[in-house]
Amino acid sequence: MIADVIREKAEIINREINKYLPIKEPKGLYYAARHYIKAGGKRLRPVISLLSAEALGKDYRKIIPAAIAIETVHNFTLIHDDIMDEDEMRRGVKTVHTLFGVPTAIIAGDTLFSEAFDILTMCDAEPKNIIRAVKKLSRVCVEICEGQYMDISFEGSLDVTEEEYIEMVKKKTGVLIGLSASIPAILFGEEKRIEEALWNYGVLAGIGFQIQDDILDIVEKDKIGKDWCSDIKEGKMTLIVIKAFEMGIKLESFGKENASKDELERDVKRLIDCGAIDYARKKAREFVDLAKKNLDVLEDSEAKRNLMEIADFLIEREY
């Protein structure tokens, strides 16, 4: 089962995290920076990196620092996202800014961002390939910032299109998963067509992943480990909301931070009844199916099959 594969590879990543991301002085800063990392998580991005290396027939141990660097960037984005969204829960624990204060949380995120580039240079790869990987990570970080800006600029707007939403989640979420899948190809000096195919696989699967995340924010009240319906309360234009608004559905809790449980439950029922959630599920499946087609460039192997299955897992997970 793919869940077992993910768990096995995640355990490898967790052991390596302790090596590459220790608690240092000043301890207050590093306790804040490591807070989400210590809280766990599925480690999907670094797991994809290890599987991608295996699918290329390579020794994933040589690129473990790249996998750790990607997880480090991911956690940096979570800290800053939670500050901007004023969320109180993440992975079932208090958010960094809630526990340590906003100033420390900002610095903790900045620390992780900086550490990621240092860790990436520790890969056992040719220097020219490490340079290419560092440049790619830098570009991806810029696109993540662009996507996050688009996300906050959409809040409260009622005329965001589906195309604009897809572009936003491609940058905010898709490109880091694209890098997770393609960075082994960069570091091992694979052909450009293979690198691009793995990139496209990750980006498209990442879009599906984010759509599923938007769905879970609404339908999995007790499993998501963060604030339920936070996207609706913050006035976020998810694919679900965009589709509902196209059909003339009114949401009484949209953009209402103090929305009551009853208001939220009524809105969730509206989104289910109008078919907006089913529409989002269908679109997520379409993106994942497109993602998997990009793996045709790889020779058949257990690792390739695992990459296919993990793409499905991204949109079938319930938390």
Side-chain angles (χ1 to χ4, degrees):
M1 289 178 60
I2 192 60
D4 295 328
V5 174
I6 294 170
R7 195 176 305 111
E8 173 195 330
K9 290 290 192 287
E11 286 174 3
I12 295 169
I13 295 299
N14 287 336
R15 289 195 296 271
E16 295 294 330
I17 279 174
N18 293 328
K19 172 183 173 183
Y20 289 101
L21 295 169
I23 299 291
K24 301 182 285 189
E25 294 289 349
K27 284 190 170 60
L29 169 61
Y30 287 98
Y31 281 131
R34 310 302 188 234
H35 180 59
Y36 290 157
I37 293 171
K38 296 293 184 183
K42 293 178 285 295
R43 314 296 190 206
L44 290 173
R45 293 158 187 81
V47 166
I48 288 171
S49 293
L50 301 192
L51 291 174
S52 179
E54 287 185 328
L56 294 171
K58 306 295 183 180
D59 182 356
Y60 69 72
R61 290 173 296 182
K62 293 185 176 183
I63 58 92
I64 278 178
I68 301 296
I70 286 170
E71 182 70 0
T72 304
V73 166
H74 174 55
N75 280 271
F76 142 69
T77 67
L78 297 183
I79 292 175
H80 283 197
D81 282 2
D82 288 342
I83 294 169
M84 286 179 270
D85 293 342
E86 298 181 352
D87 285 340
E88 295 183 0
M89 297 295 294
R90 166 77 66 178
R91 292 177 179 167
V93 299
K94 288 281 189 180
T95 49
V96 174
H97 69 276
T98 302
L99 279 178
F100 299 94
V102 171
T104 296
I106 292 171
I107 299 169
D110 293 346
T111 300
L112 288 170
F113 176 79
S114 302
E115 287 180 301
F117 289 89
D118 183 40
I119 293 168
L120 177 53
T121 65
M122 300 177 190
C123 287
D124 183 5
E126 292 186 21
K128 65 178 182 180
N129 293 336
I130 291 176
I131 291 170
R132 286 188 61 230
V134 168
K135 290 179 71 174
K136 188 72 172 182
L137 178 59
S138 176
R139 182 62 231 168
V140 161
C141 287
V142 170
E143 291 198 50
I144 292 170
C145 292
E146 291 171 353
Q148 179 64 12
Y149 175 80
M150 291 173 72
D151 191 19
I152 60 175
S153 69
F154 290 167
E155 287 181 20
S157 173
L158 303 182
D159 58 357
V160 177
T161 65
E162 181 175 320
E163 291 73 21
E164 289 171 328
Y165 165 86
I166 295 300
E167 180 65 15
M168 181 270 289
V169 298
K170 173 187 172 183
K171 290 187 171 185
K172 182 178 176 180
T173 303
V175 294
L176 190 59
I177 298 179
L179 184 62
S180 302
S182 62
I183 203 165
I186 296 171
L187 289 165
F188 287 118
E190 294 289 333
E191 294 177 45
K192 193 70 176 175
R193 66 183 183 88
I194 294 175
E195 177 193 330
E196 289 177 353
L198 287 168
W199 167 263
N200 290 334
Y201 157 81
V203 169
L204 292 166
I207 294 171
F209 173 87
Q210 184 59 56
I211 294 172
Q212 177 69 2
D213 221 43
D214 295 344
I215 295 169
L216 294 179
D217 182 71
I218 293 172
V219 301
E220 295 296 344
K221 185 175 179 181
D222 301 315
K223 293 183 181 179
I224 57 175
K226 61 180 183 178
D227 298 333
W228 176 56
C229 281
S230 62
D231 289 345
I232 293 177
K233 291 188 289 184
E234 291 161 15
K236 292 204 171 189
M237 291 296 287
T238 64
L239 182 60
I240 301 161
V241 170
I242 291 169
K243 190 63 178 176
F245 285 172
E246 282 180 1
M247 293 185 285
I249 303 298
K250 306 291 185 184
L251 301 176
E252 58 188 302
S253 58
F254 186 73
K256 187 177 178 182
E257 289 286 354
N258 61 348
S260 69
K261 179 182 175 183
D262 287 344
E263 288 173 322
L264 291 168
E265 287 179 343
R266 286 194 295 269
D267 279 345
V268 169
K269 187 175 186 304
R270 291 183 181 106
L271 292 170
I272 293 171
D273 290 347
C274 77
I277 292 176
D278 284 341
Y279 177 79
R281 285 198 177 102
K282 177 175 175 288
K283 295 299 291 188
R285 168 51 62 191
E286 288 174 4
F287 278 108
V288 162
D289 287 345
L290 285 172
K292 291 191 293 185
K293 288 180 180 177
N294 283 278
L295 297 179
D296 289 347
V297 299
L298 301 176
E299 293 184 9
D300 192 36
S301 67
E302 183 179 354
K304 176 182 174 179
R305 291 190 291 274
N306 286 335
L307 285 174
M308 301 275 279
E309 289 183 30
I310 207 170
D312 289 328
F313 173 82
L314 294 179
I315 60 166
E316 293 170 359
R317 63 199 168 89
E318 296 182 351
Y319 59 94

